[in-house]
Structure formats: structure tokens, C-alpha cells
Amino acid sequence: MPESYPTYAGGQRITAALLRSGQPRTARKTSDTPRSATTTTTPDPHLQFDVEAGAVYTWWGWIKYDADTVGDLVLDFTTPAGALGEWYGFGTGNPPTGASSTPTLRVDTQGVSGYMIRTETNDVSQSRSFGALGVGVTLAVSIGGVLRMGSTAGTWTLDWAQGASSATATTLYTDSYITMIRTA
């Protein structure tokens, strides 16, 4: 049976807060965030949600970034104690496969070939790295997953850093977003 939240009962008073609780919420970056010379993942200042104890959420998003080929990008999440779930990130593999790699792929976005991507799923407490093709070459990671909360409410955040310390900043760009909906 499909899950839904909230469950409305006959005769129940429907309030604005109750209606809002069943709507998707979107956290969108309103400014670029550069980070350099750090491999310690820390929360993004924009991509975070307050989550309720005992709730189940599904979520998806789009992360736009660039980095030098040394820095790359590592994505991770901070979850309240007892939270479980899985997530995926479809993005450029690390190291990226390019025109000089074997197998040979074209690195332009106009061609019929593309980049090798990561496709595995991850535990919500597990980080994943994504490659970079150099500053000024913007890439994206499509992310999504399920978050099952334990008995502790709190804040769920997208955390990120460079994969290897570089003085050249890795930047997450404005309009990257995550949309979350409570399903149970």
C-alpha cells in the first residue's frame, strides 16, 4: 500500500499547518559556496531540513559544482541519531574518464559520448566522491534517497568538502536544491 502523510480522518479539523505538513519542501542554494584547502565535510549553509522523530522522507535534488582536478567533491549527510536510509548520487566518476582515458570518451557536452558516472547506492551515513574536470567546467550530481527517522528529531544536512585538499576552491552553485517530502 502506498505511504502518505498526513493521514486525514473523517471529521478532523483541517488547518493550514496540517495541509503544509503534507507538502514537499525545497531547500535551494541562494548563493554560491566556495570551499578550499579542506577535506572535512561540513554542512552546506542552505541545503538542510528539520526532520521529525519516527518520520519517513523521500528526497531528490540537483547539485551544480565545479572544482579543480585535484580538489574534486565529496558529498555526505549529517543525520539525527538513529536515522537510517539510502541515497544515490549520479555524477562524474572519480577520477573522471575523459578523451585521453581508456575507454576513450569525449569530454564535450555536444557529442554522443559522455562521462563515466557513479551509480551505486550508499547508506545515509556514507560519503561519496565525485570527479572534476577543472575550474570553469561545471558539473552536476543528481541525488535522491530515503530517510527513515529513529526516535530523535533534528536537522538533516547535506555536508560536503573537497576530496583532496586544494588551494583552488570547490564551489557549490546557486540554485542547487534538495526537495523533501514526508511519506509516513
Side-chain angles (χ1 to χ4, degrees):
M1 167 169 28
E3 293 180 305
S4 65
Y5 179 86
T7 301
Y8 303 105
Q12 179 180 7
R13 183 167 182 247
I14 305 298
T15 64
L18 181 64
L19 290 172
R20 271 192 311 276
S21 70
Q23 295 296 310
R25 298 178 291 157
T26 299
R28 182 184 63 85
K29 288 191 66 58
T30 56
S31 63
D32 297 349
T33 304
R35 292 187 179 158
S36 58
T38 181
T39 59
T40 302
T41 59
T42 55
D44 186 88
H46 305 106
L47 302 176
Q48 44 191 274
F49 293 90
D50 290 331
V51 288
E52 300 295 324
V56 177
Y57 300 91
T58 58
W59 59 273
W60 59 94
W62 177 74
I63 306 300
K64 179 181 176 183
Y65 72 99
D66 85 354
D68 73 2
T69 56
V70 172
D72 295 324
L73 173 68
V74 173
L75 297 180
D76 198 1
F77 296 92
T78 295
T79 60
L84 300 171
E86 294 280 325
W87 74 281
Y88 70 87
F90 292 159
T92 303
N94 190 6
T97 301
S100 61
S101 304
T102 302
T104 301
L105 296 176
R106 291 202 316 235
V107 295
D108 68 340
T109 58
Q110 300 290 320
V112 296
S113 301
Y115 306 107
M116 297 294 281
I117 64 169
R118 296 195 77 147
T119 59
E120 67 273 296
T121 63
N122 315 295
D123 185 82
V124 292
S125 63
Q126 185 177 18
S127 65
R128 281 289 176 241
S129 61
F130 297 92
L133 297 173
V135 174
V137 180
T138 55
L139 299 170
V141 180
S142 175
I143 60 175
V146 174
L147 179 65
R148 298 183 316 276
M149 294 298 297
S151 59
T152 304
T155 302
W156 177 78
T157 64
L158 172 77
D159 302 349
W160 64 277
Q162 295 178 313
S165 183
S166 173
T168 303
T170 296
T171 302
L172 258 59
Y173 285 109
T174 302
D175 293 333
S176 295
Y177 73 91
I178 298 174
T179 297
M180 175 178 267
I181 188 166
R182 184 169 176 179
T183 60

